């Protein structure tokens, strides 16, 4: 989290997705990539999943 975010308490969708990426890469077989507020996870067999982060009001 950047210094500005620590001071204001603001966290973006991209920040959450970026935080999830290394965890998924460590625990799951396949490849993970961040695309904005999403993490795209591809299994070796060809299945692809998109995990999206959306801010709730």
């Amino acid at each position: 989290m950047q210094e500005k975010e620590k001071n204001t308490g603001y966290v973006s969708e991209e920040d959450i997705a970026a935080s999830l990426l290394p965890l998924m890469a460590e625990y799951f077989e396949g490849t993970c990539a961040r695309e904005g507020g999403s993490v795209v996870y591809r299994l070796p067999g060809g299945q692809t999943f998109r995990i999206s982060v959306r801010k709730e009001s």
Side-chain angles (χ1 to χ4, degrees):
M1 195 176 320
Q2 296 178 1
E3 190 63 33
K4 178 181 174 185
E5 295 157 350
K6 290 179 185 176
N7 293 335
T8 63
Y10 176 78
V11 178
S12 71
E13 292 89 344
E14 289 84 5
D15 294 329
I16 300 295
S19 296
L20 291 173
L21 188 63
L23 297 172
M24 292 186 64
E26 183 176 340
Y27 288 101
F28 294 102
E29 189 175 327
T31 61
C32 295
R34 186 169 60 94
E35 293 181 7
S38 299
V39 173
V40 178
Y41 170 57
R42 291 180 178 87
L43 288 153
Q47 286 183 301
T48 301
F49 297 90
R50 178 177 302 269
I51 300 167
S52 299
V53 180
R54 183 181 69 210
K55 182 181 176 196
E56 295 282 329
S57 303

